Amino acid sequence: MAVQSLNRPVARRRPDVVQSPGTTRVDSSDPLLGKRKVKARRLGPGRAIPFGAAIGPALLLTAWIITSATGVLDPQTLPAPSTVVQAAHDLIADGRLQSNLLTSVQRAGISLVLGVLIGVVLALISGLSRIGEAIVDGPIQIKRAIPTLALIPLFIVWFGIGESMKIIVITTSVLIPVYINTHAHLRGVDARHVELAETVGLSRLQFIRRVALPGSLPGFFTGLRMAVTISWLALVVVEQVNATSGIGYLMTQARLYGQIDIIVVGLVVYALFGLFSDIGVRAIERRALSWRQSLGD
């Protein structure tokens, strides 16, 4: 029996069966199927489009140019792109755009860093301790339900109209999405990982560094993307309340004098910073979570 099994011919792959990546197995001897390759269907979104993030804004810009050139869009309602570009050039020439832009970036940057740090710390306190959750989660949910505009009069009474009030308003707005999403993913860490950490004898600090923080990274980046956008939204609000510098202040002054083109310049600046900030955070997220295989990969 052993000799017969050794002498038995080994089944080899038929040369007339063709298979390549992205295609189903096709027998070329079949006159119906041999003439074509049947592609496997994909249920996902497909491959990433190069510079796909720029397609939507480019379509909006094209529509703006066409409607302005054809007279469909009233210049008193929204100036043409050429008018806005000329206004931006004039602002850059006299230095007003650069100085106000630097002030806005400093406010947004400082507030974003503070909000992210506070949001992560509060998420760790609430996510890893029932006592911490009882103390922290309720006030966070209350702040989440109160609009930023509603808090500004109270903050003015408490902190005045200086820079501290503006930074506090933006910071308290930024920490909410960071806390919510990081806390949710902390609570979603697999219980088996916690049991394994206890088995190998990890300390509380080691558990946070090796298990809790890596497990909450997807939620943290989701919150960070929202926080970046909210920082610019809150900045628009605070810079139009008793401000003496910043893009919002520049827009407020333009509104008083009916300079719609300068208002649009400010809106474009906010939009560009928000868009590029989000693109930057998504790039960092892809590198930090390169191990994750998701639908968007």
Side-chain angles (χ1 to χ4, degrees):
M1 293 294 294
V3 176
Q4 290 179 357
S5 62
L6 291 175
N7 293 332
R8 183 178 300 170
V10 179
R12 296 183 179 180
R13 185 177 179 180
R14 292 175 55 186
D16 55 347
V17 176
V18 181
Q19 187 175 5
S20 59
T23 62
T24 57
R25 193 171 181 179
V26 178
D27 191 345
S28 60
S29 63
D30 192 324
L32 296 179
L33 299 179
K35 296 180 180 180
R36 62 179 180 176
K37 293 182 178 179
V38 182
K39 292 185 178 180
R41 295 185 179 182
R42 296 191 57 173
L43 299 179
R47 295 182 179 179
I49 301 175
F51 305 103
I55 294 178
L59 292 176
L60 288 176
L61 180 60
T62 303
W64 184 13
I65 294 173
I66 293 175
T67 53
S68 298
T70 57
V72 175
L73 191 61
D74 185 3
Q76 298 300 322
T77 303
L78 184 64
S82 57
T83 306
V84 175
V85 171
Q86 183 60 45
H89 179 270
D90 295 339
L91 290 173
I92 293 173
D94 60 22
R96 284 191 293 166
L97 184 61
Q98 298 94 306
S99 60
N100 288 286
L101 181 59
L102 180 60
T103 302
S104 295
V105 171
Q106 288 177 344
R107 286 174 181 155
I110 294 173
S111 304
L112 182 63
V113 171
L114 290 176
V116 170
L117 290 177
I118 295 173
V120 170
V121 171
L122 292 179
L124 289 172
I125 294 173
S126 179
L128 300 178
S129 171
R130 293 294 182 182
I131 297 177
E133 183 180 29
I135 297 173
V136 172
D137 194 65
I140 293 293
Q141 299 301 331
I142 292 174
K143 170 58 185 76
R144 180 187 180 189
I146 300 177
T148 301
L149 281 173
L151 288 173
I152 287 181
L154 187 60
F155 281 6
I156 290 176
V157 174
W158 287 351
F159 307 109
I161 59 174
E163 286 297 309
S164 59
M165 184 274 295
K166 298 176 179 60
I167 291 177
I168 290 172
V169 170
I170 302 173
T171 300
T172 53
S173 300
V174 163
L175 68 87
I176 300 299
V178 176
Y179 169 85
I180 295 294
N181 290 277
T182 306
H183 177 269
H185 277 71
L186 270 174
R187 286 299 175 87
V189 172
D190 196 329
R192 291 172 295 182
H193 296 165
V194 181
E195 294 175 358
L196 179 61
E198 294 175 348
T199 302
V200 299
L202 292 183
S203 65
R204 172 67 69 172
L205 184 60
Q206 290 174 328
F207 171 74
I208 293 174
R209 183 169 57 88
R210 298 184 181 182
V211 179
L213 288 179
S216 64
L217 274 182
F220 167 75
F221 279 109
T222 301
L224 182 59
R225 289 183 60 188
M226 298 175 63
V228 168
T229 303
I230 290 175
S231 67
W232 291 104
L233 295 177
L235 183 69
V236 175
V237 175
V238 299
E239 286 189 339
Q240 296 185 25
V241 179
N242 296 317
T244 57
S245 60
I247 298 299
Y249 167 76
L250 188 66
M251 294 171 62
T252 302
Q253 295 298 108
R255 176 179 59 82
L256 295 176
Y257 295 101
Q259 299 171 314
I260 303 177
D261 50 353
I262 295 181
I263 296 176
V264 176
V265 170
L267 293 176
V268 170
V269 169
Y270 280 131
L272 290 177
F273 268 93
L275 178 63
F276 288 122
S277 300
D278 183 71
I279 291 174
V281 173
R282 293 175 68 178
I284 297 173
E285 179 183 11
R286 283 193 295 269
R287 292 182 64 88
L289 303 179
S290 58
W291 49 267
R292 185 178 61 173
Q293 295 296 324
S294 63
L295 190 64
D297 296 333

